[in-house]
Amino acid sequence: MQSLVDKLRFLYKPYVLAVLTIGYIAGELGHYLIGVTSKATAVELDYGDHACQQNHTEVHRHLLPQQCADIELEHECHGQHLNGTVYCEWNYNGLGLEYQLLAGPSFIAVFTVMGVVLGFAADRYNRVRLLTVCTLVFAVAIVFQGTVKEYWQLILLRMVMAAGESGCNPLATGIMSDIFPESKRALVMAIFNWGIYGGYGIAFPVGRYITKLDIWGQGWRICYYGTGVLALIVAILTGTTLKEPERQSIGEEANGKGKVSLTKALMQPRVILLMIAASIRHCGGMTFAYNADLYYNIYFPDVDLGWWLFAVTIGIGSVGVVIGGIVSDKVVAKMGIRSRVACLAISQLIATPFAFGSVYFEPLWAMITLGISYFFAEMWFGIVFAVLVEIVPLQVRSTTIGMFLFVMNNIGGNLPILVDPLAKAIGYRGSVMFFYAGFYGISTVLFFITMFFMDGPKPEPVTEEHRNQVEMGHENNTFQPDDFINGIGGPKTNGHNIVHVRPTENSNL
C-alpha cells in the first residue's frame, strides 16, 4: 500500500515552483516599494526634488484655473486657489537624481556583481542552501529599511538587499531547469520570473494604501516590515523543505553537441544579441516600474489609479506571462528554439504602440492601453531564460545566467537614471515615453535580428526501419537537388556503384 508521502509526491514540483516564486515576489516587492512610497519617504528623510503639487484629491483637474504640475516657482504655487481654497503645495515630490540613484544604480551595482559571483557558486555548490542564505539576507535588509532615519541608511540597506536578491534568479533557474522537462520549461520560467511583475504590481496597493492607513503610526515603514517578515518565512521553507535536484544536461547539449567553455558560451553571436535585446527591453520595463506611480500621481492627482495599476500588472500581466510560456512551449516542439525568439519579437511588436498610449491618454484609455500592452509585453522574461538555458552547456549554465543578468541589469537597470535629465529638457511625460515605450520598440527590432541566429526545427529521428529502407535503395527522399547529374534524375555514382546520399536537415525533398 502506498504511503501518504508517495501519494503526494506529484505535488513536490509545483510546491517548489510556488516557494521559489513567492520568494521572488517578496524580494521584488521590497525592491519596487521605493517607487510607490518615495514621496512619503522623501518628506521624512529629506531627499530629492521639490515641486508644486495638487494637495486636494477631491478637486477635479478640469475645474482648476491652472494645473499645479505646470507651475515651476514656489511663490506662484502657494498663490493658487479655487473658491478660497489653496489647492497646491510646494513639497518633495519623490523624484530627482537622489531618487533615481536610490531606485536604480544603488541596487543594480551590487545586484549585478553579486549575481555573477552567485552564478559561479551555483555551478559548484548546493543551490538550495545558497538560495536559503540569499533569501534570509534580503529579508533582513527589507525589515531594517523600515527603521532608517537617514537617506544614506536606505541606500546602504538597498545594497544589502540587492546582494541577497541577486541569487534568486540564477539559483532558482538552475534548480527548476533540472526539475521540469523541456515541454514545460518556458511556462515554468515565465511563472517564476513573473515574480518581478508580481512584486511590482503588489507594490501599488501596499505602498499606497497601507501607508495611508498609518498602522501603529508607522506610515510607509510598516510596508517594509510586512514584506521582510514574508521573506523570512519563505527562507525558512526553502531551507527546510526543498532538496537539491540532480543536475541534468538539457537543450542542445542533451542532443549531443560538444561542451564549450564559459567564454565560448557567452561569445556566441546569438547569446550576445539576445543579451543586448533583453537589456534594451529591460530598460523599458524598469523605466515604467520606477516611474509609473509617480507619473500618474503627478499628471492625474485627482484619480486614484492604485488598484487599476495593481489589476493590470497582476491580473492581465500574469495571464500574458502564462500564455507566453504555453505558446512558446507548444511551438518550440515543432519549430525549434528560433520559435521562442519569434514569440519574443512578435509580442513586443504588438505591445509597443499600446505602451505609448498608456502615457499619452487620459486615465481611462491610459489603463486600457496599459492592459493590452502588459498582456503582450510580459511574455518576454520567462521566454528569454528558457532560450538561454537551452543554448548553453550544463557546467556553465548558472554562471552564464549570472553574467547575462549582470549585463542586462547594468544596461536596463541603470539607463533609467537618464529619465531625470531628459525630463528637465523635454518634460517628464516625454522622457518616460522615450525610455519606456521607445525602448520596447527598439527591443522588437533586436529580437527579430536575434531570431535568425537561432537553430530551426530539430531533424526527425531516424528509425531503424527508415535506415534499412535507405540502405536497400527504397527511400524516395534520399537525394538532394544537387545530387542530380546534368539535370538528369539519376543518383551520383562512384565507378559502377550507386552511392545513395542521406538527406540533410535542410533537405527540401
Side-chain angles (χ1 to χ4, degrees), residues 75-114:
H75 70 276
E76 291 184 8
C77 180
H78 293 310
Q80 303 303 313
H81 59 85
L82 181 67
N83 299 325
T85 301
V86 176
Y87 60 86
C88 292
E89 67 173 359
W90 188 265
N91 204 343
Y92 288 103
N93 64 355
L95 289 170
L97 184 59
E98 287 174 293
Y99 165 68
Q100 298 295 344
L101 286 170
L102 182 65
S106 66
F107 181 91
I108 296 300
V110 177
F111 183 86
T112 53
V113 173
M114 287 301 300

Short mmCIF file of all heavy atoms in Angstrom, two decimals, residues 75-114:
data_model
loop_
_atom_site.label_atom_id
_atom_site.label_comp_id
_atom_site.label_asym_id
_atom_site.label_seq_id
_atom_site.Cartn_x
_atom_site.Cartn_y
_atom_site.Cartn_z
N HIS A 75 6.51 80.62 -5.06
CA HIS A 75 5.54 81.63 -4.66
C HIS A 75 4.27 81.57 -5.52
O HIS A 75 3.17 81.85 -5.04
CB HIS A 75 6.17 83.04 -4.71
CG HIS A 75 6.45 83.54 -6.08
ND1 HIS A 75 7.60 83.21 -6.77
CD2 HIS A 75 5.71 84.33 -6.92
CE1 HIS A 75 7.58 83.80 -7.96
NE2 HIS A 75 6.45 84.49 -8.08
N GLU A 76 4.42 81.19 -6.79
CA GLU A 76 3.25 81.03 -7.63
C GLU A 76 2.43 79.82 -7.20
O GLU A 76 1.20 79.83 -7.29
CB GLU A 76 3.66 80.89 -9.10
CG GLU A 76 4.24 82.15 -9.72
CD GLU A 76 4.55 81.98 -11.20
OE1 GLU A 76 4.16 80.92 -11.76
OE2 GLU A 76 5.18 82.87 -11.79
N CYS A 77 3.12 78.80 -6.75
CA CYS A 77 2.44 77.58 -6.29
C CYS A 77 1.52 77.88 -5.11
O CYS A 77 0.36 77.46 -5.07
CB CYS A 77 3.48 76.53 -5.91
SG CYS A 77 2.78 74.97 -5.34
N HIS A 78 2.03 78.64 -4.15
CA HIS A 78 1.24 78.95 -2.95
C HIS A 78 0.08 79.88 -3.26
O HIS A 78 -0.88 79.95 -2.47
CB HIS A 78 2.14 79.61 -1.90
CG HIS A 78 3.19 78.69 -1.35
ND1 HIS A 78 2.89 77.43 -0.88
CD2 HIS A 78 4.54 78.86 -1.18
CE1 HIS A 78 4.00 76.85 -0.45
NE2 HIS A 78 5.02 77.69 -0.63
N GLY A 79 0.14 80.58 -4.37
CA GLY A 79 -0.90 81.55 -4.69
C GLY A 79 -2.10 80.99 -5.43
O GLY A 79 -3.05 81.72 -5.72
N GLN A 80 -2.10 79.70 -5.75
CA GLN A 80 -3.20 79.10 -6.50
C GLN A 80 -4.34 78.72 -5.56
O GLN A 80 -4.13 78.05 -4.56
CB GLN A 80 -2.71 77.86 -7.26
CG GLN A 80 -1.57 78.11 -8.22
CD GLN A 80 -1.90 79.17 -9.25
OE1 GLN A 80 -2.97 79.14 -9.86
NE2 GLN A 80 -0.99 80.10 -9.46
N HIS A 81 -5.57 79.17 -5.89
CA HIS A 81 -6.71 78.81 -5.05
C HIS A 81 -7.97 78.72 -5.89
O HIS A 81 -8.08 79.32 -6.97
CB HIS A 81 -6.89 79.84 -3.92
CG HIS A 81 -7.12 81.23 -4.41
ND1 HIS A 81 -8.36 81.72 -4.77
CD2 HIS A 81 -6.24 82.25 -4.62
CE1 HIS A 81 -8.25 82.97 -5.17
NE2 HIS A 81 -6.98 83.32 -5.09
N LEU A 82 -8.94 77.99 -5.40
CA LEU A 82 -10.23 77.80 -6.05
C LEU A 82 -11.32 78.02 -5.01
O LEU A 82 -11.40 77.26 -4.02
CB LEU A 82 -10.34 76.39 -6.65
CG LEU A 82 -11.65 76.07 -7.40
CD1 LEU A 82 -11.76 76.90 -8.67
CD2 LEU A 82 -11.70 74.57 -7.74
N ASN A 83 -12.12 79.06 -5.19
CA ASN A 83 -13.17 79.43 -4.23
C ASN A 83 -12.61 79.60 -2.82
O ASN A 83 -13.19 79.15 -1.82
CB ASN A 83 -14.28 78.38 -4.22
CG ASN A 83 -14.97 78.23 -5.56
OD1 ASN A 83 -15.14 79.21 -6.29
ND2 ASN A 83 -15.35 77.00 -5.91
N GLY A 84 -11.42 80.22 -2.75
CA GLY A 84 -10.81 80.50 -1.46
C GLY A 84 -9.99 79.37 -0.88
O GLY A 84 -9.35 79.53 0.16
N THR A 85 -9.96 78.21 -1.56
CA THR A 85 -9.21 77.05 -1.08
C THR A 85 -7.90 76.91 -1.86
O THR A 85 -7.92 76.81 -3.10
CB THR A 85 -10.02 75.75 -1.23
OG1 THR A 85 -11.23 75.87 -0.49
CG2 THR A 85 -9.23 74.55 -0.73
N VAL A 86 -6.76 76.94 -1.16
CA VAL A 86 -5.46 76.73 -1.80
C VAL A 86 -5.33 75.25 -2.14
O VAL A 86 -5.43 74.39 -1.26
CB VAL A 86 -4.30 77.17 -0.88
CG1 VAL A 86 -2.96 76.86 -1.53
CG2 VAL A 86 -4.42 78.65 -0.55
N TYR A 87 -5.15 74.96 -3.40
CA TYR A 87 -5.14 73.56 -3.83
C TYR A 87 -3.76 73.04 -4.24
O TYR A 87 -3.62 71.89 -4.66
CB TYR A 87 -6.13 73.35 -4.98
CG TYR A 87 -5.85 74.16 -6.22
CD1 TYR A 87 -4.97 73.70 -7.20
CD2 TYR A 87 -6.47 75.39 -6.42
CE1 TYR A 87 -4.70 74.43 -8.35
CE2 TYR A 87 -6.22 76.13 -7.57
CZ TYR A 87 -5.34 75.65 -8.53
OH TYR A 87 -5.07 76.38 -9.66
N CYS A 88 -2.72 73.90 -4.16
CA CYS A 88 -1.36 73.47 -4.49
C CYS A 88 -0.45 73.57 -3.27
O CYS A 88 -0.66 74.42 -2.39
CB CYS A 88 -0.78 74.34 -5.61
SG CYS A 88 -1.57 74.11 -7.22
N GLU A 89 0.56 72.75 -3.23
CA GLU A 89 1.58 72.82 -2.18
C GLU A 89 2.95 72.63 -2.80
O GLU A 89 3.10 71.98 -3.83
CB GLU A 89 1.34 71.74 -1.11
CG GLU A 89 1.53 70.32 -1.59
CD GLU A 89 1.45 69.28 -0.48
OE1 GLU A 89 1.26 69.68 0.68
OE2 GLU A 89 1.56 68.08 -0.80
N TRP A 90 3.96 73.24 -2.16
CA TRP A 90 5.34 73.10 -2.61
C TRP A 90 6.04 72.14 -1.65
O TRP A 90 6.24 72.45 -0.49
CB TRP A 90 6.03 74.47 -2.60
CG TRP A 90 7.40 74.47 -3.22
CD1 TRP A 90 8.58 74.34 -2.55
CD2 TRP A 90 7.72 74.61 -4.59
NE1 TRP A 90 9.63 74.37 -3.44
CE2 TRP A 90 9.13 74.55 -4.70
CE3 TRP A 90 6.96 74.77 -5.75
CZ2 TRP A 90 9.79 74.66 -5.93
CZ3 TRP A 90 7.63 74.88 -6.97
CH2 TRP A 90 9.02 74.82 -7.05
N ASN A 91 6.36 70.94 -2.13
CA ASN A 91 6.91 69.93 -1.23
C ASN A 91 7.74 68.93 -2.04
O ASN A 91 7.81 69.01 -3.26
CB ASN A 91 5.77 69.20 -0.50
CG ASN A 91 6.20 68.59 0.82
OD1 ASN A 91 7.40 68.43 1.08
ND2 ASN A 91 5.23 68.26 1.67
N TYR A 92 8.37 68.00 -1.32
CA TYR A 92 9.08 66.92 -2.01
C TYR A 92 8.10 66.14 -2.87
O TYR A 92 7.00 65.80 -2.43
CB TYR A 92 9.74 65.98 -1.01
CG TYR A 92 10.93 66.56 -0.29
CD1 TYR A 92 10.83 67.00 1.04
CD2 TYR A 92 12.17 66.66 -0.91
CE1 TYR A 92 11.92 67.53 1.71
CE2 TYR A 92 13.27 67.19 -0.25
CZ TYR A 92 13.14 67.62 1.06
OH TYR A 92 14.22 68.14 1.71
N ASN A 93 8.52 65.82 -4.09
CA ASN A 93 7.64 65.04 -4.98
C ASN A 93 8.10 63.60 -5.15
O ASN A 93 7.48 62.83 -5.89
CB ASN A 93 7.52 65.73 -6.34
CG ASN A 93 8.84 65.79 -7.10
OD1 ASN A 93 9.89 65.41 -6.58
ND2 ASN A 93 8.80 66.29 -8.33
N GLY A 94 9.20 63.23 -4.48
CA GLY A 94 9.68 61.85 -4.57
C GLY A 94 10.58 61.59 -5.75
O GLY A 94 11.10 60.47 -5.90
N LEU A 95 10.78 62.60 -6.62
CA LEU A 95 11.62 62.43 -7.80
C LEU A 95 12.98 63.09 -7.59
O LEU A 95 13.35 63.43 -6.48
CB LEU A 95 10.92 63.02 -9.03
CG LEU A 95 9.71 62.24 -9.55
CD1 LEU A 95 8.97 63.06 -10.59
CD2 LEU A 95 10.13 60.90 -10.12
N GLY A 96 13.72 63.26 -8.68
CA GLY A 96 15.04 63.87 -8.61
C GLY A 96 16.16 62.85 -8.74
O GLY A 96 15.93 61.63 -8.70
N LEU A 97 17.36 63.34 -8.89
CA LEU A 97 18.52 62.47 -9.08
C LEU A 97 18.74 61.55 -7.89
O LEU A 97 19.10 60.37 -8.06
CB LEU A 97 19.78 63.32 -9.32
CG LEU A 97 21.06 62.55 -9.64
CD1 LEU A 97 20.88 61.70 -10.90
CD2 LEU A 97 22.23 63.51 -9.80
N GLU A 98 18.50 62.05 -6.67
CA GLU A 98 18.69 61.19 -5.49
C GLU A 98 17.73 60.01 -5.49
O GLU A 98 18.10 58.90 -5.09
CB GLU A 98 18.50 62.03 -4.22
CG GLU A 98 19.65 62.98 -3.94
CD GLU A 98 19.36 63.88 -2.75
OE1 GLU A 98 18.44 64.73 -2.86
OE2 GLU A 98 20.03 63.72 -1.72
N TYR A 99 16.50 60.25 -5.96
CA TYR A 99 15.56 59.13 -6.07
C TYR A 99 16.01 58.14 -7.13
O TYR A 99 15.97 56.92 -6.91
CB TYR A 99 14.15 59.62 -6.41
CG TYR A 99 13.27 58.49 -6.88
CD1 TYR A 99 12.87 57.49 -6.00
CD2 TYR A 99 12.89 58.37 -8.22
CE1 TYR A 99 12.10 56.41 -6.43
CE2 TYR A 99 12.13 57.32 -8.66
CZ TYR A 99 11.73 56.34 -7.77
OH TYR A 99 10.99 55.27 -8.20
N GLN A 100 16.40 58.63 -8.31
CA GLN A 100 16.83 57.74 -9.38
C GLN A 100 18.04 56.90 -8.94
O GLN A 100 18.14 55.72 -9.28
CB GLN A 100 17.15 58.54 -10.64
CG GLN A 100 15.97 59.31 -11.23
CD GLN A 100 14.85 58.41 -11.74
OE1 GLN A 100 15.03 57.21 -11.94
NE2 GLN A 100 13.67 59.00 -11.96
N LEU A 101 18.97 57.49 -8.18
CA LEU A 101 20.11 56.74 -7.65
C LEU A 101 19.66 55.69 -6.66
O LEU A 101 20.17 54.56 -6.64
CB LEU A 101 21.09 57.70 -6.97
CG LEU A 101 21.94 58.60 -7.88
CD1 LEU A 101 22.68 59.65 -7.06
CD2 LEU A 101 22.93 57.76 -8.68
N LEU A 102 18.68 56.04 -5.84
CA LEU A 102 18.17 55.11 -4.84
C LEU A 102 17.45 53.94 -5.49
O LEU A 102 17.66 52.78 -5.11
CB LEU A 102 17.21 55.87 -3.91
CG LEU A 102 16.59 55.10 -2.73
CD1 LEU A 102 17.67 54.66 -1.75
CD2 LEU A 102 15.55 55.97 -2.04
N ALA A 103 16.63 54.24 -6.48
CA ALA A 103 15.83 53.20 -7.12
C ALA A 103 16.67 52.29 -8.02
O ALA A 103 16.48 51.07 -8.03
CB ALA A 103 14.72 53.86 -7.94
N GLY A 104 17.61 52.90 -8.77
CA GLY A 104 18.36 52.13 -9.75
C GLY A 104 19.78 51.76 -9.38
O GLY A 104 20.03 50.68 -8.85
N PRO A 105 20.76 52.65 -9.65
CA PRO A 105 22.17 52.29 -9.51
C PRO A 105 22.60 51.72 -8.16
O PRO A 105 23.42 50.81 -8.12
CB PRO A 105 22.88 53.62 -9.78
CG PRO A 105 21.97 54.33 -10.71
CD PRO A 105 20.58 53.99 -10.24
N SER A 106 22.08 52.25 -7.05
CA SER A 106 22.50 51.72 -5.74
C SER A 106 22.13 50.24 -5.61
O SER A 106 22.86 49.45 -5.00
CB SER A 106 21.86 52.52 -4.60
OG SER A 106 20.45 52.34 -4.58
N PHE A 107 20.99 49.87 -6.19
CA PHE A 107 20.55 48.48 -6.16
C PHE A 107 21.29 47.66 -7.22
O PHE A 107 21.83 46.59 -6.94
CB PHE A 107 19.04 48.43 -6.40
CG PHE A 107 18.46 47.04 -6.36
CD1 PHE A 107 17.98 46.50 -5.18
CD2 PHE A 107 18.38 46.27 -7.52
CE1 PHE A 107 17.44 45.23 -5.15
CE2 PHE A 107 17.85 45.00 -7.50
CZ PHE A 107 17.37 44.48 -6.31
N ILE A 108 21.32 48.19 -8.44
CA ILE A 108 21.87 47.45 -9.57
C ILE A 108 23.36 47.18 -9.42
O ILE A 108 23.86 46.11 -9.79
CB ILE A 108 21.60 48.21 -10.88
CG1 ILE A 108 20.09 48.30 -11.15
CG2 ILE A 108 22.31 47.55 -12.05
CD1 ILE A 108 19.41 46.97 -11.28
N ALA A 109 24.11 48.15 -8.87
CA ALA A 109 25.57 48.00 -8.76
C ALA A 109 25.94 46.72 -8.01
O ALA A 109 26.83 45.97 -8.42
CB ALA A 109 26.16 49.22 -8.05
N VAL A 110 25.26 46.47 -6.91
CA VAL A 110 25.54 45.27 -6.10
C VAL A 110 24.85 44.06 -6.70
O VAL A 110 25.42 42.95 -6.76
CB VAL A 110 25.09 45.48 -4.65
CG1 VAL A 110 25.31 44.22 -3.82
CG2 VAL A 110 25.83 46.66 -4.03
N PHE A 111 23.63 44.24 -7.15
CA PHE A 111 22.83 43.13 -7.69
C PHE A 111 23.55 42.42 -8.83
O PHE A 111 23.59 41.18 -8.89
CB PHE A 111 21.49 43.67 -8.17
CG PHE A 111 20.53 42.63 -8.67
CD1 PHE A 111 19.71 41.95 -7.80
CD2 PHE A 111 20.44 42.34 -10.03
CE1 PHE A 111 18.81 40.99 -8.27
CE2 PHE A 111 19.56 41.40 -10.51
CZ PHE A 111 18.74 40.71 -9.62
N THR A 112 24.13 43.19 -9.73
CA THR A 112 24.76 42.58 -10.91
C THR A 112 26.07 41.89 -10.58
O THR A 112 26.35 40.80 -11.08
CB THR A 112 25.00 43.65 -11.98
OG1 THR A 112 25.73 44.75 -11.41
CG2 THR A 112 23.69 44.18 -12.53
N VAL A 113 26.88 42.51 -9.74
CA VAL A 113 28.18 41.91 -9.37
C VAL A 113 27.95 40.62 -8.58
O VAL A 113 28.56 39.58 -8.87
CB VAL A 113 29.03 42.91 -8.56
CG1 VAL A 113 30.29 42.21 -8.04
CG2 VAL A 113 29.40 44.11 -9.42
N MET A 114 27.08 40.69 -7.60
CA MET A 114 26.81 39.50 -6.78
C MET A 114 26.10 38.42 -7.59
O MET A 114 26.25 37.23 -7.30
CB MET A 114 25.98 39.88 -5.56
CG MET A 114 26.75 40.64 -4.50
SD MET A 114 28.18 39.70 -3.88
CE MET A 114 27.39 38.23 -3.22
#
